Amino acid sequence: MNKPCNQHIAESKEQLKAGSLKITSARLTLLDILKHAKKPLSIKEISLRLGEVDLVTLYRNVESLQNLGIVKQINLKDRQAYYELSGGEHHHHLICTNCGKLEDVQVEEIKLNKTFLKNHGFAKVTDHSLEFFGICKNCDR
Amino acid sequence: MNKPCNQHIAESKEQLKAGSLKITSARLTLLDILKHAKKPLSIKEISLRLGEVDLVTLYRNVESLQNLGIVKQINLKDRQAYYELSGGEHHHHLICTNCGKLEDVQVEEIKLNKTFLKNHGFAKVTDHSLEFFGICKNCDR
DNA sequence: GATATTAATGCAAGTCGTTTGCGTTTGTCA
DNA sequence: TGACAAACGCAAACGACTTGCATTAATATC
């Protein structure tokens, strides 16, 4: 298995302790990968960087980190899920339906005009999806 | 297989002809079901209403209709896809993460305040996802 | 520092939504 | 009405993800 770089290890250990998760190198490296990622990663992509950690362990670990609110799951038109750190600036995503290229978009920038497109190296935005998730009154009781 | 109601048959036939798809009762009924649906439906939900049409046929038909721009695929946190007619008023979705209850939301109504929540029978909105899909400059050449 | 406890891991197998291959049936058009 | 391509159904495959269970390793306690 690959080793995490030193930069974020202390912080990662803190986060795991705070969530009463055991500190394992699979988790430290996973956190390290996500902390260095410039875009949401699929399980496969994480796995490639992670080395010889079982996929099952990886699935279980991203789930634990999701439950702690450290990691966020992204759902695209793709059949697979993507993961990113949930801290950091609030943003959305811009995805090329042809090649899958993905860019982060800040909220203030969300104006579907030519400037917006130019800034992000996109020729056109053909579609978008906006979903709200919450708890309905029935489930809130 | 269930029969489509008469109301929309003519329109559906037109749509299929315009897309040079053959007019089959599987397709007419599928379109009829979507035209009467109040929310996006999963393949399973459509299949229940559709009766004895093979799932494979259903998958192929929603795909054809998607290619014609008649049907739109919705991706939620769920592992399965949902389908709705792509015509009609532009709107987004509000989904209960507990029970899966789904409501349509008009764009103008998108203000995350108490009134918004009350209007939709939701206790709280915990999360939302906003994804833009398009063609990047690289793929546009 | 050794040890008990409990969580984390790896492996095998299973599940579920979706897709593919292929032979048969059925719309459509001449 | 018959030819032909498109649509269909069935079986099997696929890929993302999950579950069960026995083994291993991190933490707490002595």
Side-chain angles (χ1 to χ4, degrees):
Chain A
M1 181 175 52
N2 293 322
K3 286 281 158 61
C5 81
N6 290 321
Q7 199 178 351
H8 297 299
I9 289 189
E11 183 196 28
S12 297
K13 285 187 179 173
E14 277 311 306
Q15 290 176 299
L16 293 175
K17 262 182 200 163
S20 33
L21 292 182
K22 288 187 178 172
I23 295 166
T24 67
S25 52
R27 282 175 181 159
L28 289 177
T29 314
L30 167 58
L31 277 171
D32 194 63
I33 289 165
L34 291 176
K35 281 172 190 185
H36 285 92
K38 291 193 176 54
K39 60 184 192 69
L41 301 174
S42 68
I43 289 287
K44 260 194 203 158
E45 291 170 321
I46 298 173
S47 180
L48 275 176
R49 291 163 170 75
L50 200 48
E52 68 255 4
V53 171
D54 197 282
L55 274 185
V56 174
T57 300
L58 180 47
Y59 275 110
R60 289 196 264 234
N61 281 340
V62 290
E63 200 198 345
S64 308
L65 294 174
Q66 270 192 91
N67 292 338
L68 294 183
I70 296 172
V71 165
K72 191 174 166 16
Q73 183 179 330
I74 312 289
N75 304 274
L76 307 179
K77 288 198 188 298
D78 222 335
R79 290 252 287 106
Q80 65 194 326
Y82 291 79
Y83 301 89
E84 66 179 8
L85 288 185
S86 57
E89 280 182 278
H90 183 64
H91 64 275
H92 304 293
H93 303 104
L94 183 51
I95 303 106
C96 180
T97 48
N98 187 255
C99 68
K101 176 172 148 66
L102 193 156
E103 288 187 17
D104 285 356
V105 183
Q106 306 303 322
V107 214
E108 317 86 56
E109 298 178 40
I110 295 181
K111 295 162 199 153
L112 287 175
N113 56 28
K114 285 179 188 163
T115 314
F116 171 85
L117 293 173
K118 266 188 196 146
N119 286 343
H120 290 88
F122 265 66
K124 52 190 161 222
V125 169
T126 53
D127 189 20
H128 73 270
S129 87
L130 177 54
E131 322 293 347
F132 297 98
F133 299 96
I135 302 293
C136 68
K137 280 178 183 155
N138 214 34
C139 289
D140 194 47
R141 285 198 287 249
Chain B
M1 183 174 51
N2 293 324
K3 286 282 158 61
C5 82
N6 290 321
Q7 200 177 349
H8 298 299
I9 290 189
E11 183 196 27
S12 297
K13 285 186 178 171
E14 279 309 307
Q15 291 176 298
L16 293 175
K17 263 183 200 161
S20 32
L21 292 182
K22 290 189 175 169
I23 294 166
T24 67
S25 53
R27 284 174 179 160
L28 288 177
T29 314
L30 166 57
L31 277 171
D32 194 62
I33 288 166
L34 291 176
K35 281 172 189 184
H36 285 92
K38 292 194 176 55
K39 60 184 191 73
L41 301 174
S42 68
I43 288 288
K44 259 194 205 158
E45 291 170 322
I46 298 173
S47 179
L48 275 175
R49 292 162 170 74
L50 199 47
E52 68 254 5
V53 171
D54 196 284
L55 274 184
V56 174
T57 300
L58 181 46
Y59 275 108
R60 289 197 263 234
N61 280 341
V62 290
E63 200 199 345
S64 308
L65 294 174
Q66 269 191 93
N67 292 339
L68 293 183
I70 296 172
V71 164
K72 190 174 166 12
Q73 182 177 333
I74 312 289
N75 304 275
L76 308 179
K77 289 197 188 297
D78 223 336
R79 289 250 289 110
Q80 65 194 327
Y82 291 79
Y83 302 89
E84 66 177 7
L85 288 187
S86 56
E89 279 181 279
H90 183 64
H91 64 276
H92 305 291
H93 302 106
L94 182 50
I95 303 106
C96 179
T97 48
N98 188 253
C99 68
K101 175 173 149 66
L102 193 157
E103 287 187 19
D104 285 357
V105 182
Q106 305 303 323
V107 213
E108 316 87 56
E109 297 179 39
I110 296 181
K111 294 163 199 151
L112 286 175
N113 57 28
K114 285 181 187 162
T115 315
F116 171 84
L117 293 173
K118 265 188 197 148
N119 286 343
H120 291 88
F122 266 66
K124 53 188 160 223
V125 169
T126 52
D127 188 21
H128 74 271
S129 87
L130 177 54
E131 322 294 347
F132 297 98
F133 299 97
I135 303 292
C136 68
K137 279 178 185 154
N138 215 32
C139 289
D140 194 46
R141 285 198 287 250

